[in-house]
PDB file of all heavy atoms in Angstrom:
ATOM      1  N   PHE A  14    -142.319 100.133  58.472  1.00  0.00           N
ATOM      2  CA  PHE A  14    -141.384 100.674  57.498  1.00  0.00           C
ATOM      3  C   PHE A  14    -140.569 101.804  58.110  1.00  0.00           C
ATOM      4  O   PHE A  14    -141.110 102.637  58.842  1.00  0.00           O
ATOM      5  CB  PHE A  14    -142.139 101.152  56.266  1.00  0.00           C
ATOM      6  CG  PHE A  14    -141.316 101.961  55.321  1.00  0.00           C
ATOM      7  CD1 PHE A  14    -140.466 101.346  54.409  1.00  0.00           C
ATOM      8  CD2 PHE A  14    -141.359 103.351  55.332  1.00  0.00           C
ATOM      9  CE1 PHE A  14    -139.695 102.087  53.523  1.00  0.00           C
ATOM     10  CE2 PHE A  14    -140.608 104.110  54.460  1.00  0.00           C
ATOM     11  CZ  PHE A  14    -139.768 103.476  53.556  1.00  0.00           C
ATOM     12  N   VAL A  15    -139.279 101.845  57.776  1.00  0.00           N
ATOM     13  CA  VAL A  15    -138.400 102.903  58.275  1.00  0.00           C
ATOM     14  C   VAL A  15    -137.864 103.765  57.130  1.00  0.00           C
ATOM     15  O   VAL A  15    -137.959 104.983  57.165  1.00  0.00           O
ATOM     16  CB  VAL A  15    -137.236 102.324  59.085  1.00  0.00           C
ATOM     17  CG1 VAL A  15    -136.260 103.411  59.500  1.00  0.00           C
ATOM     18  CG2 VAL A  15    -137.761 101.583  60.317  1.00  0.00           C
ATOM     19  N   ALA A  16    -137.233 103.142  56.139  1.00  0.00           N
ATOM     20  CA  ALA A  16    -136.584 103.871  55.061  1.00  0.00           C
ATOM     21  C   ALA A  16    -136.399 102.976  53.840  1.00  0.00           C
ATOM     22  O   ALA A  16    -136.316 101.742  53.985  1.00  0.00           O
ATOM     23  CB  ALA A  16    -135.233 104.420  55.513  1.00  0.00           C
ATOM     24  N   ALA A  17    -136.306 103.578  52.660  1.00  0.00           N
ATOM     25  CA  ALA A  17    -136.093 102.829  51.425  1.00  0.00           C
ATOM     26  C   ALA A  17    -135.155 103.591  50.510  1.00  0.00           C
ATOM     27  O   ALA A  17    -135.020 104.824  50.618  1.00  0.00           O
ATOM     28  CB  ALA A  17    -137.420 102.559  50.712  1.00  0.00           C
ATOM     29  N   ILE A  18    -134.509 102.862  49.603  1.00  0.00           N
ATOM     30  CA  ILE A  18    -133.577 103.447  48.661  1.00  0.00           C
ATOM     31  C   ILE A  18    -133.701 102.729  47.324  1.00  0.00           C
ATOM     32  O   ILE A  18    -133.868 101.506  47.288  1.00  0.00           O
ATOM     33  CB  ILE A  18    -132.135 103.399  49.217  1.00  0.00           C
ATOM     34  CG1 ILE A  18    -131.171 104.178  48.316  1.00  0.00           C
ATOM     35  CG2 ILE A  18    -131.684 101.957  49.399  1.00  0.00           C
ATOM     36  CD1 ILE A  18    -129.821 104.409  48.961  1.00  0.00           C
ATOM     37  N   THR A  19    -133.617 103.463  46.221  1.00  0.00           N
ATOM     38  CA  THR A  19    -133.697 102.876  44.890  1.00  0.00           C
ATOM     39  C   THR A  19    -132.478 102.050  44.598  1.00  0.00           C
ATOM     40  O   THR A  19    -131.462 102.095  45.295  1.00  0.00           O
ATOM     41  CB  THR A  19    -133.858 103.965  43.834  1.00  0.00           C
ATOM     42  OG1 THR A  19    -132.775 104.903  43.937  1.00  0.00           O
ATOM     43  CG2 THR A  19    -135.170 104.703  44.011  1.00  0.00           C
ATOM     44  N   SER A  20    -132.534 101.264  43.512  1.00  0.00           N
ATOM     45  CA  SER A  20    -131.437 100.358  43.172  1.00  0.00           C
ATOM     46  C   SER A  20    -130.121 101.092  42.934  1.00  0.00           C
ATOM     47  O   SER A  20    -129.061 100.574  43.305  1.00  0.00           O
ATOM     48  CB  SER A  20    -131.808  99.524  41.959  1.00  0.00           C
ATOM     49  OG  SER A  20    -132.087 100.341  40.830  1.00  0.00           O
ATOM     50  N   SER A  21    -130.182 102.257  42.340  1.00  0.00           N
ATOM     51  CA  SER A  21    -128.973 103.026  42.079  1.00  0.00           C
ATOM     52  C   SER A  21    -128.602 103.950  43.227  1.00  0.00           C
ATOM     53  O   SER A  21    -127.504 104.515  43.219  1.00  0.00           O
ATOM     54  CB  SER A  21    -129.148 103.861  40.803  1.00  0.00           C
ATOM     55  OG  SER A  21    -130.127 104.853  40.992  1.00  0.00           O
ATOM     56  N   GLY A  22    -129.476 104.098  44.199  1.00  0.00           N
ATOM     57  CA  GLY A  22    -129.211 104.976  45.331  1.00  0.00           C
ATOM     58  C   GLY A  22    -129.513 106.443  45.073  1.00  0.00           C
ATOM     59  O   GLY A  22    -129.135 107.291  45.877  1.00  0.00           O
ATOM     60  N   ASP A  23    -130.221 106.741  44.000  1.00  0.00           N
ATOM     61  CA  ASP A  23    -130.464 108.130  43.630  1.00  0.00           C
ATOM     62  C   ASP A  23    -131.696 108.736  44.300  1.00  0.00           C
ATOM     63  O   ASP A  23    -131.892 109.960  44.230  1.00  0.00           O
ATOM     64  CB  ASP A  23    -130.588 108.291  42.106  1.00  0.00           C
ATOM     65  CG  ASP A  23    -131.783 107.570  41.530  1.00  0.00           C
ATOM     66  OD1 ASP A  23    -132.239 106.592  42.143  1.00  0.00           O
ATOM     67  OD2 ASP A  23    -132.250 107.971  40.451  1.00  0.00           O
ATOM     68  N   ARG A  24    -132.495 107.930  44.971  1.00  0.00           N
ATOM     69  CA  ARG A  24    -133.686 108.440  45.635  1.00  0.00           C
ATOM     70  C   ARG A  24    -133.955 107.636  46.900  1.00  0.00           C
ATOM     71  O   ARG A  24    -133.774 106.431  46.923  1.00  0.00           O
ATOM     72  CB  ARG A  24    -134.889 108.403  44.703  1.00  0.00           C
ATOM     73  CG  ARG A  24    -136.106 109.145  45.202  1.00  0.00           C
ATOM     74  CD  ARG A  24    -137.181 109.229  44.132  1.00  0.00           C
ATOM     75  NE  ARG A  24    -136.747 110.012  42.976  1.00  0.00           N
ATOM     76  CZ  ARG A  24    -136.863 111.318  42.874  1.00  0.00           C
ATOM     77  NH1 ARG A  24    -137.406 112.025  43.867  1.00  0.00           N
ATOM     78  NH2 ARG A  24    -136.440 111.946  41.789  1.00  0.00           N
ATOM     79  N   THR A  25    -134.413 108.341  47.937  1.00  0.00           N
ATOM     80  CA  THR A  25    -134.701 107.726  49.223  1.00  0.00           C
ATOM     81  C   THR A  25    -136.057 108.151  49.732  1.00  0.00           C
ATOM     82  O   THR A  25    -136.621 109.150  49.302  1.00  0.00           O
ATOM     83  CB  THR A  25    -133.631 108.066  50.265  1.00  0.00           C
ATOM     84  OG1 THR A  25    -133.559 109.487  50.427  1.00  0.00           O
ATOM     85  CG2 THR A  25    -132.265 107.552  49.835  1.00  0.00           C
ATOM     86  N   ASN A  26    -136.586 107.367  50.688  1.00  0.00           N
ATOM     87  CA  ASN A  26    -137.855 107.686  51.318  1.00  0.00           C
ATOM     88  C   ASN A  26    -137.802 107.248  52.775  1.00  0.00           C
ATOM     89  O   ASN A  26    -137.184 106.232  53.098  1.00  0.00           O
ATOM     90  CB  ASN A  26    -139.005 106.989  50.589  1.00  0.00           C
ATOM     91  CG  ASN A  26    -140.373 107.449  51.055  1.00  0.00           C
ATOM     92  OD1 ASN A  26    -140.579 108.634  51.228  1.00  0.00           O
ATOM     93  ND2 ASN A  26    -141.290 106.513  51.246  1.00  0.00           N
ATOM     94  N   TYR A  27    -138.462 108.025  53.664  1.00  0.00           N
ATOM     95  CA  TYR A  27    -138.385 107.780  55.087  1.00  0.00           C
ATOM     96  C   TYR A  27    -139.755 107.862  55.754  1.00  0.00           C
ATOM     97  O   TYR A  27    -140.628 108.635  55.320  1.00  0.00           O
ATOM     98  CB  TYR A  27    -137.471 108.803  55.777  1.00  0.00           C
ATOM     99  CG  TYR A  27    -136.055 108.793  55.266  1.00  0.00           C
ATOM    100  CD1 TYR A  27    -135.657 109.614  54.221  1.00  0.00           C
ATOM    101  CD2 TYR A  27    -135.123 107.929  55.818  1.00  0.00           C
ATOM    102  CE1 TYR A  27    -134.365 109.599  53.746  1.00  0.00           C
ATOM    103  CE2 TYR A  27    -133.822 107.899  55.357  1.00  0.00           C
ATOM    104  CZ  TYR A  27    -133.451 108.741  54.306  1.00  0.00           C
ATOM    105  OH  TYR A  27    -132.147 108.726  53.845  1.00  0.00           O
ATOM    106  N   ALA A  28    -139.925 107.060  56.802  1.00  0.00           N
ATOM    107  CA  ALA A  28    -141.086 107.230  57.659  1.00  0.00           C
ATOM    108  C   ALA A  28    -141.013 108.563  58.367  1.00  0.00           C
ATOM    109  O   ALA A  28    -139.932 109.073  58.673  1.00  0.00           O
ATOM    110  CB  ALA A  28    -141.142 106.098  58.688  1.00  0.00           C
ATOM    111  N   ASP A  29    -142.173 109.169  58.623  1.00  0.00           N
ATOM    112  CA  ASP A  29    -142.201 110.473  59.280  1.00  0.00           C
ATOM    113  C   ASP A  29    -141.489 110.441  60.628  1.00  0.00           C
ATOM    114  O   ASP A  29    -140.870 111.446  61.017  1.00  0.00           O
ATOM    115  CB  ASP A  29    -143.640 110.929  59.480  1.00  0.00           C
ATOM    116  CG  ASP A  29    -144.331 111.331  58.182  1.00  0.00           C
ATOM    117  OD1 ASP A  29    -143.624 111.574  57.173  1.00  0.00           O
ATOM    118  OD2 ASP A  29    -145.563 111.400  58.154  1.00  0.00           O
ATOM    119  N   SER A  30    -141.544 109.335  61.325  1.00  0.00           N
ATOM    120  CA  SER A  30    -140.982 109.245  62.662  1.00  0.00           C
ATOM    121  C   SER A  30    -139.452 109.347  62.675  1.00  0.00           C
ATOM    122  O   SER A  30    -138.885 109.654  63.724  1.00  0.00           O
ATOM    123  CB  SER A  30    -141.413 107.944  63.334  1.00  0.00           C
ATOM    124  OG  SER A  30    -141.018 106.827  62.582  1.00  0.00           O
ATOM    125  N   VAL A  31    -138.800 109.077  61.540  1.00  0.00           N
ATOM    126  CA  VAL A  31    -137.328 109.099  61.503  1.00  0.00           C
ATOM    127  C   VAL A  31    -136.777 110.145  60.546  1.00  0.00           C
ATOM    128  O   VAL A  31    -135.559 110.343  60.506  1.00  0.00           O
ATOM    129  CB  VAL A  31    -136.755 107.715  61.138  1.00  0.00           C
ATOM    130  CG1 VAL A  31    -137.327 106.631  62.047  1.00  0.00           C
ATOM    131  CG2 VAL A  31    -137.043 107.393  59.666  1.00  0.00           C
ATOM    132  N   LYS A  32    -137.641 110.800  59.812  1.00  0.00           N
ATOM    133  CA  LYS A  32    -137.195 111.776  58.828  1.00  0.00           C
ATOM    134  C   LYS A  32    -136.369 112.888  59.486  1.00  0.00           C
ATOM    135  O   LYS A  32    -136.766 113.446  60.508  1.00  0.00           O
ATOM    136  CB  LYS A  32    -138.395 112.357  58.103  1.00  0.00           C
ATOM    137  CG  LYS A  32    -138.040 113.152  56.844  1.00  0.00           C
ATOM    138  CD  LYS A  32    -139.288 113.542  56.095  1.00  0.00           C
ATOM    139  CE  LYS A  32    -138.954 114.269  54.783  1.00  0.00           C
ATOM    140  NZ  LYS A  32    -140.175 114.622  54.033  1.00  0.00           N
ATOM    141  N   GLY A  33    -135.224 113.184  58.901  1.00  0.00           N
ATOM    142  CA  GLY A  33    -134.338 114.196  59.447  1.00  0.00           C
ATOM    143  C   GLY A  33    -133.342 113.662  60.434  1.00  0.00           C
ATOM    144  O   GLY A  33    -132.388 114.364  60.802  1.00  0.00           O
ATOM    145  N   ARG A  34    -133.516 112.418  60.882  1.00  0.00           N
ATOM    146  CA  ARG A  34    -132.607 111.806  61.857  1.00  0.00           C
ATOM    147  C   ARG A  34    -131.873 110.616  61.277  1.00  0.00           C
ATOM    148  O   ARG A  34    -130.708 110.375  61.602  1.00  0.00           O
ATOM    149  CB  ARG A  34    -133.361 111.358  63.096  1.00  0.00           C
ATOM    150  CG  ARG A  34    -134.083 112.498  63.824  1.00  0.00           C
ATOM    151  CD  ARG A  34    -134.661 112.032  65.155  1.00  0.00           C
ATOM    152  NE  ARG A  34    -135.682 111.004  64.969  1.00  0.00           N
ATOM    153  CZ  ARG A  34    -135.612 109.766  65.469  1.00  0.00           C
ATOM    154  NH1 ARG A  34    -134.560 109.401  66.189  1.00  0.00           N
ATOM    155  NH2 ARG A  34    -136.598 108.902  65.256  1.00  0.00           N
ATOM    156  N   PHE A  35    -132.542 109.826  60.409  1.00  0.00           N
ATOM    157  CA  PHE A  35    -131.944 108.625  59.822  1.00  0.00           C
ATOM    158  C   PHE A  35    -131.594 108.892  58.378  1.00  0.00           C
ATOM    159  O   PHE A  35    -132.248 109.693  57.703  1.00  0.00           O
ATOM    160  CB  PHE A  35    -132.916 107.455  59.895  1.00  0.00           C
ATOM    161  CG  PHE A  35    -133.182 106.917  61.278  1.00  0.00           C
ATOM    162  CD1 PHE A  35    -132.744 107.570  62.409  1.00  0.00           C
ATOM    163  CD2 PHE A  35    -133.897 105.737  61.405  1.00  0.00           C
ATOM    164  CE1 PHE A  35    -133.014 107.060  63.678  1.00  0.00           C
ATOM    165  CE2 PHE A  35    -134.169 105.223  62.668  1.00  0.00           C
ATOM    166  CZ  PHE A  35    -133.729 105.890  63.804  1.00  0.00           C
ATOM    167  N   SER A  36    -130.587 108.173  57.868  1.00  0.00           N
ATOM    168  CA  SER A  36    -130.183 108.273  56.473  1.00  0.00           C
ATOM    169  C   SER A  36    -129.841 106.896  55.930  1.00  0.00           C
ATOM    170  O   SER A  36    -128.999 106.192  56.504  1.00  0.00           O
ATOM    171  CB  SER A  36    -128.990 109.206  56.337  1.00  0.00           C
ATOM    172  OG  SER A  36    -128.585 109.321  54.984  1.00  0.00           O
ATOM    173  N   ILE A  37    -130.510 106.487  54.839  1.00  0.00           N
ATOM    174  CA  ILE A  37    -130.240 105.212  54.203  1.00  0.00           C
ATOM    175  C   ILE A  37    -129.290 105.427  53.026  1.00  0.00           C
ATOM    176  O   ILE A  37    -129.378 106.422  52.302  1.00  0.00           O
ATOM    177  CB  ILE A  37    -131.561 104.534  53.761  1.00  0.00           C
ATOM    178  CG1 ILE A  37    -131.299 103.113  53.247  1.00  0.00           C
ATOM    179  CG2 ILE A  37    -132.278 105.367  52.709  1.00  0.00           C
ATOM    180  CD1 ILE A  37    -132.576 102.313  52.991  1.00  0.00           C
ATOM    181  N   SER A  38    -128.373 104.475  52.825  1.00  0.00           N
ATOM    182  CA  SER A  38    -127.446 104.542  51.704  1.00  0.00           C
ATOM    183  C   SER A  38    -127.077 103.110  51.318  1.00  0.00           C
ATOM    184  O   SER A  38    -127.445 102.161  51.987  1.00  0.00           O
ATOM    185  CB  SER A  38    -126.183 105.352  52.074  1.00  0.00           C
ATOM    186  OG  SER A  38    -125.497 104.738  53.153  1.00  0.00           O
ATOM    187  N   ARG A  39    -126.353 102.976  50.200  1.00  0.00           N
ATOM    188  CA  ARG A  39    -125.970 101.634  49.763  1.00  0.00           C
ATOM    189  C   ARG A  39    -124.637 101.665  49.028  1.00  0.00           C
ATOM    190  O   ARG A  39    -124.243 102.701  48.460  1.00  0.00           O
ATOM    191  CB  ARG A  39    -127.051 101.013  48.863  1.00  0.00           C
ATOM    192  CG  ARG A  39    -127.245 101.688  47.524  1.00  0.00           C
ATOM    193  CD  ARG A  39    -128.514 101.201  46.840  1.00  0.00           C
ATOM    194  NE  ARG A  39    -128.454  99.776  46.522  1.00  0.00           N
ATOM    195  CZ  ARG A  39    -129.527  99.011  46.327  1.00  0.00           C
ATOM    196  NH1 ARG A  39    -130.752  99.515  46.436  1.00  0.00           N
ATOM    197  NH2 ARG A  39    -129.377  97.724  46.035  1.00  0.00           N
ATOM    198  N   ASP A  40    -123.961 100.518  49.037  1.00  0.00           N
ATOM    199  CA  ASP A  40    -122.723 100.309  48.292  1.00  0.00           C
ATOM    200  C   ASP A  40    -122.935  99.039  47.496  1.00  0.00           C
ATOM    201  O   ASP A  40    -122.796  97.934  48.019  1.00  0.00           O
ATOM    202  CB  ASP A  40    -121.545 100.204  49.255  1.00  0.00           C
ATOM    203  CG  ASP A  40    -120.225 100.085  48.525  1.00  0.00           C
ATOM    204  OD1 ASP A  40    -120.210  99.759  47.322  1.00  0.00           O
ATOM    205  OD2 ASP A  40    -119.183 100.328  49.159  1.00  0.00           O
ATOM    206  N   ASN A  41    -123.284  99.196  46.237  1.00  0.00           N
ATOM    207  CA  ASN A  41    -123.620  98.033  45.421  1.00  0.00           C
ATOM    208  C   ASN A  41    -122.416  97.122  45.175  1.00  0.00           C
ATOM    209  O   ASN A  41    -122.577  95.922  44.973  1.00  0.00           O
ATOM    210  CB  ASN A  41    -124.233  98.478  44.090  1.00  0.00           C
ATOM    211  CG  ASN A  41    -125.659  98.973  44.250  1.00  0.00           C
ATOM    212  OD1 ASN A  41    -126.303  98.726  45.264  1.00  0.00           O
ATOM    213  ND2 ASN A  41    -126.155  99.689  43.249  1.00  0.00           N
ATOM    214  N   ALA A  42    -121.210  97.679  45.154  1.00  0.00           N
ATOM    215  CA  ALA A  42    -120.020  96.862  44.994  1.00  0.00           C
ATOM    216  C   ALA A  42    -119.834  95.912  46.167  1.00  0.00           C
ATOM    217  O   ALA A  42    -119.207  94.857  46.022  1.00  0.00           O
ATOM    218  CB  ALA A  42    -118.797  97.749  44.817  1.00  0.00           C
ATOM    219  N   LYS A  43    -120.357  96.277  47.329  1.00  0.00           N
ATOM    220  CA  LYS A  43    -120.261  95.452  48.528  1.00  0.00           C
ATOM    221  C   LYS A  43    -121.564  94.716  48.848  1.00  0.00           C
ATOM    222  O   LYS A  43    -121.643  94.034  49.873  1.00  0.00           O
ATOM    223  CB  LYS A  43    -119.842  96.289  49.715  1.00  0.00           C
ATOM    224  CG  LYS A  43    -118.457  96.895  49.616  1.00  0.00           C
ATOM    225  CD  LYS A  43    -118.107  97.659  50.876  1.00  0.00           C
ATOM    226  CE  LYS A  43    -116.701  98.219  50.795  1.00  0.00           C
ATOM    227  NZ  LYS A  43    -116.323  98.965  52.015  1.00  0.00           N
ATOM    228  N   ASN A  44    -122.589  94.854  48.003  1.00  0.00           N
ATOM    229  CA  ASN A  44    -123.905  94.255  48.255  1.00  0.00           C
ATOM    230  C   ASN A  44    -124.418  94.605  49.632  1.00  0.00           C
ATOM    231  O   ASN A  44    -124.994  93.771  50.336  1.00  0.00           O
ATOM    232  CB  ASN A  44    -123.832  92.737  48.104  1.00  0.00           C
ATOM    233  CG  ASN A  44    -123.735  92.300  46.652  1.00  0.00           C
ATOM    234  OD1 ASN A  44    -123.598  93.107  45.734  1.00  0.00           O
ATOM    235  ND2 ASN A  44    -123.816  90.997  46.426  1.00  0.00           N
ATOM    236  N   THR A  45    -124.247  95.866  50.023  1.00  0.00           N
ATOM    237  CA  THR A  45    -124.581  96.291  51.388  1.00  0.00           C
ATOM    238  C   THR A  45    -125.424  97.554  51.377  1.00  0.00           C
ATOM    239  O   THR A  45    -125.172  98.472  50.591  1.00  0.00           O
ATOM    240  CB  THR A  45    -123.297  96.538  52.188  1.00  0.00           C
ATOM    241  OG1 THR A  45    -122.529  95.330  52.217  1.00  0.00           O
ATOM    242  CG2 THR A  45    -123.628  96.937  53.616  1.00  0.00           C
ATOM    243  N   VAL A  46    -126.429  97.599  52.256  1.00  0.00           N
ATOM    244  CA  VAL A  46    -127.204  98.792  52.485  1.00  0.00           C
ATOM    245  C   VAL A  46    -126.998  99.211  53.940  1.00  0.00           C
ATOM    246  O   VAL A  46    -126.842  98.357  54.823  1.00  0.00           O
ATOM    247  CB  VAL A  46    -128.702  98.569  52.156  1.00  0.00           C
ATOM    248  CG1 VAL A  46    -129.297  97.477  53.029  1.00  0.00           C
ATOM    249  CG2 VAL A  46    -129.483  99.871  52.282  1.00  0.00           C
ATOM    250  N   TYR A  47    -126.980 100.518  54.187  1.00  0.00           N
ATOM    251  CA  TYR A  47    -126.689 101.061  55.499  1.00  0.00           C
ATOM    252  C   TYR A  47    -127.849 101.901  56.014  1.00  0.00           C
ATOM    253  O   TYR A  47    -128.643 102.423  55.245  1.00  0.00           O
ATOM    254  CB  TYR A  47    -125.435 101.947  55.458  1.00  0.00           C
ATOM    255  CG  TYR A  47    -124.221 101.250  54.896  1.00  0.00           C
ATOM    256  CD1 TYR A  47    -123.875 101.394  53.561  1.00  0.00           C
ATOM    257  CD2 TYR A  47    -123.414 100.473  55.692  1.00  0.00           C
ATOM    258  CE1 TYR A  47    -122.762 100.782  53.036  1.00  0.00           C
ATOM    259  CE2 TYR A  47    -122.284  99.847  55.188  1.00  0.00           C
ATOM    260  CZ  TYR A  47    -121.961 100.003  53.857  1.00  0.00           C
ATOM    261  OH  TYR A  47    -120.855  99.390  53.347  1.00  0.00           O
ATOM    262  N   LEU A  48    -127.917 102.037  57.329  1.00  0.00           N
ATOM    263  CA  LEU A  48    -128.844 102.970  57.952  1.00  0.00           C
ATOM    264  C   LEU A  48    -128.092 103.728  59.020  1.00  0.00           C
ATOM    265  O   LEU A  48    -127.749 103.162  60.072  1.00  0.00           O
ATOM    266  CB  LEU A  48    -130.042 102.233  58.557  1.00  0.00           C
ATOM    267  CG  LEU A  48    -131.130 103.145  59.117  1.00  0.00           C
ATOM    268  CD1 LEU A  48    -131.836 103.905  58.010  1.00  0.00           C
ATOM    269  CD2 LEU A  48    -132.145 102.349  59.933  1.00  0.00           C
ATOM    270  N   GLN A  49    -127.800 104.985  58.749  1.00  0.00           N
ATOM    271  CA  GLN A  49    -127.185 105.878  59.731  1.00  0.00           C
ATOM    272  C   GLN A  49    -128.282 106.451  60.609  1.00  0.00           C
ATOM    273  O   GLN A  49    -129.206 107.102  60.110  1.00  0.00           O
ATOM    274  CB  GLN A  49    -126.401 106.999  59.036  1.00  0.00           C
ATOM    275  CG  GLN A  49    -125.742 107.975  59.992  1.00  0.00           C
ATOM    276  CD  GLN A  49    -124.643 107.340  60.810  1.00  0.00           C
ATOM    277  OE1 GLN A  49    -123.793 106.644  60.287  1.00  0.00           O
ATOM    278  NE2 GLN A  49    -124.668 107.588  62.121  1.00  0.00           N
ATOM    279  N   MET A  50    -128.190 106.220  61.904  1.00  0.00           N
ATOM    280  CA  MET A  50    -129.211 106.620  62.854  1.00  0.00           C
ATOM    281  C   MET A  50    -128.626 107.639  63.818  1.00  0.00           C
ATOM    282  O   MET A  50    -127.758 107.318  64.613  1.00  0.00           O
ATOM    283  CB  MET A  50    -129.726 105.403  63.632  1.00  0.00           C
ATOM    284  CG  MET A  50    -130.116 104.225  62.744  1.00  0.00           C
ATOM    285  SD  MET A  50    -130.307 102.679  63.676  1.00  0.00           S
ATOM    286  CE  MET A  50    -131.745 103.075  64.652  1.00  0.00           C
ATOM    287  N   ASN A  51    -129.108 108.871  63.732  1.00  0.00           N
ATOM    288  CA  ASN A  51    -128.646 109.951  64.591  1.00  0.00           C
ATOM    289  C   ASN A  51    -129.778 110.445  65.477  1.00  0.00           C
ATOM    290  O   ASN A  51    -130.949 110.191  65.218  1.00  0.00           O
ATOM    291  CB  ASN A  51    -128.116 111.126  63.750  1.00  0.00           C
ATOM    292  CG  ASN A  51    -126.949 110.741  62.882  1.00  0.00           C
ATOM    293  OD1 ASN A  51    -126.088 109.956  63.271  1.00  0.00           O
ATOM    294  ND2 ASN A  51    -126.890 111.329  61.684  1.00  0.00           N
ATOM    295  N   SER A  52    -129.414 111.174  66.521  1.00  0.00           N
ATOM    296  CA  SER A  52    -130.399 111.736  67.456  1.00  0.00           C
ATOM    297  C   SER A  52    -131.399 110.681  67.921  1.00  0.00           C
ATOM    298  O   SER A  52    -132.614 110.907  67.937  1.00  0.00           O
ATOM    299  CB  SER A  52    -131.119 112.928  66.800  1.00  0.00           C
ATOM    300  OG  SER A  52    -130.198 113.926  66.413  1.00  0.00           O
ATOM    301  N   LEU A  53    -130.893 109.556  68.331  1.00  0.00           N
ATOM    302  CA  LEU A  53    -131.737 108.427  68.674  1.00  0.00           C
ATOM    303  C   LEU A  53    -132.610 108.723  69.892  1.00  0.00           C
ATOM    304  O   LEU A  53    -132.181 109.406  70.828  1.00  0.00           O
ATOM    305  CB  LEU A  53    -130.890 107.181  68.909  1.00  0.00           C
ATOM    306  CG  LEU A  53    -130.396 106.499  67.633  1.00  0.00           C
ATOM    307  CD1 LEU A  53    -129.250 105.576  67.922  1.00  0.00           C
ATOM    308  CD2 LEU A  53    -131.550 105.740  66.973  1.00  0.00           C
ATOM    309  N   LYS A  54    -133.812 108.190  69.868  1.00  0.00           N
ATOM    310  CA  LYS A  54    -134.788 108.348  70.940  1.00  0.00           C
ATOM    311  C   LYS A  54    -135.156 106.989  71.504  1.00  0.00           C
ATOM    312  O   LYS A  54    -135.042 105.980  70.797  1.00  0.00           O
ATOM    313  CB  LYS A  54    -136.062 109.022  70.385  1.00  0.00           C
ATOM    314  CG  LYS A  54    -135.838 110.350  69.700  1.00  0.00           C
ATOM    315  CD  LYS A  54    -137.136 110.866  69.101  1.00  0.00           C
ATOM    316  CE  LYS A  54    -136.944 112.193  68.416  1.00  0.00           C
ATOM    317  NZ  LYS A  54    -138.213 112.687  67.821  1.00  0.00           N
ATOM    318  N   PRO A  55    -135.631 106.920  72.741  1.00  0.00           N
ATOM    319  CA  PRO A  55    -136.074 105.636  73.282  1.00  0.00           C
ATOM    320  C   PRO A  55    -137.142 104.976  72.407  1.00  0.00           C
ATOM    321  O   PRO A  55    -137.188 103.737  72.360  1.00  0.00           O
ATOM    322  CB  PRO A  55    -136.646 106.025  74.658  1.00  0.00           C
ATOM    323  CG  PRO A  55    -135.855 107.217  75.051  1.00  0.00           C
ATOM    324  CD  PRO A  55    -135.635 107.982  73.781  1.00  0.00           C
ATOM    325  N   GLU A  56    -137.968 105.745  71.732  1.00  0.00           N
ATOM    326  CA  GLU A  56    -138.984 105.199  70.849  1.00  0.00           C
ATOM    327  C   GLU A  56    -138.390 104.466  69.645  1.00  0.00           C
ATOM    328  O   GLU A  56    -139.125 103.749  68.950  1.00  0.00           O
ATOM    329  CB  GLU A  56    -139.909 106.321  70.338  1.00  0.00           C
ATOM    330  CG  GLU A  56    -140.503 107.167  71.441  1.00  0.00           C
ATOM    331  CD  GLU A  56    -139.674 108.402  71.725  1.00  0.00           C
ATOM    332  OE1 GLU A  56    -139.886 109.459  71.093  1.00  0.00           O
ATOM    333  OE2 GLU A  56    -138.768 108.304  72.605  1.00  0.00           O
ATOM    334  N   ASP A  57    -137.105 104.640  69.359  1.00  0.00           N
ATOM    335  CA  ASP A  57    -136.449 103.930  68.273  1.00  0.00           C
ATOM    336  C   ASP A  57    -136.044 102.512  68.670  1.00  0.00           C
ATOM    337  O   ASP A  57    -135.578 101.762  67.800  1.00  0.00           O
ATOM    338  CB  ASP A  57    -135.232 104.703  67.802  1.00  0.00           C
ATOM    339  CG  ASP A  57    -135.553 106.060  67.232  1.00  0.00           C
ATOM    340  OD1 ASP A  57    -136.549 106.174  66.476  1.00  0.00           O
ATOM    341  OD2 ASP A  57    -134.823 107.016  67.528  1.00  0.00           O
TER     342      ASP A  57
END
């Protein structure tokens, strides 16, 4: 598991290994969920 987001996008949850570096979001009008990945490490 990496990250999760509620149906409305009002709450998120992250694995400890990515917390503070990754951000999950969604656009329901586009039926799309995103994962912004910053400060990437080889372990990712």
Side-chain angles (χ1 to χ4, degrees):
F14 169 81
V15 175
I18 187 168
T19 56
S20 59
S21 67
D23 65 334
R24 191 171 296 273
T25 58
N26 190 43
Y27 300 92
D29 289 343
S30 59
V31 307
K32 193 172 184 179
R34 300 188 297 119
F35 292 9
S36 180
I37 187 172
S38 62
R39 67 192 296 158
D40 185 341
N41 286 343
K43 296 182 177 180
N44 286 7
T45 302
V46 61
Y47 305 96
L48 186 67
Q49 179 66 47
M50 310 166 67
N51 300 323
S52 302
L53 283 162
K54 305 175 180 179
E56 308 92 90
D57 297 318

